[in-house]
Amino acid sequence: MESSDNLSMETQLLFSILEEIGEKETRNIADLPPLSDSIDVDALTRLAESKGIAVKFEYCGYEILVEDREVTVL
């Protein structure tokens, strides 16, 4: 079972990604496709917790970069 810290980190990370894309698309985040259709969210969260590891993937036509718990939409 995941600790509340891991769940909180996952929730914050996923919300940050969805919020960034929602702003760019001027759409409600509830109307966006599931993030899990583009990437394994559990693996993304584990990698995001590691220092010095960057993850880049595509979602809704945008490149998403997650590095040191920071989300950048390219």
Side-chain angles (χ1 to χ4, degrees):
M1 180 158 201
E2 289 185 279
S3 73
S4 61
D5 289 341
N6 286 342
L7 183 59
S8 176
M9 167 62 187
E10 180 177 352
T11 301
Q12 290 172 5
L13 179 64
L14 301 181
F15 184 76
S16 292
I17 293 168
L18 293 173
E19 190 174 56
E20 290 280 335
I21 297 300
E23 286 178 15
K24 288 194 176 292
E25 292 286 308
T26 61
R27 293 168 61 187
N28 186 309
I29 62 173
D31 296 331
L32 295 172
L35 193 55
S36 60
D37 288 352
S38 296
I39 193 164
D40 180 331
V41 293
D42 291 331
L44 174 63
T45 303
R46 285 192 304 274
L47 290 171
E49 292 174 348
S50 302
K51 287 283 187 188
I53 294 180
V55 179
K56 189 186 289 187
F57 64 98
E58 200 167 299
Y59 175 67
C60 287
Y62 296 91
E63 277 193 357
I64 311 297
L65 174 65
V66 178
E67 186 172 20
D68 294 329
R69 297 183 185 178
E70 295 292 323
V71 175
T72 305
V73 178
L74 306 169

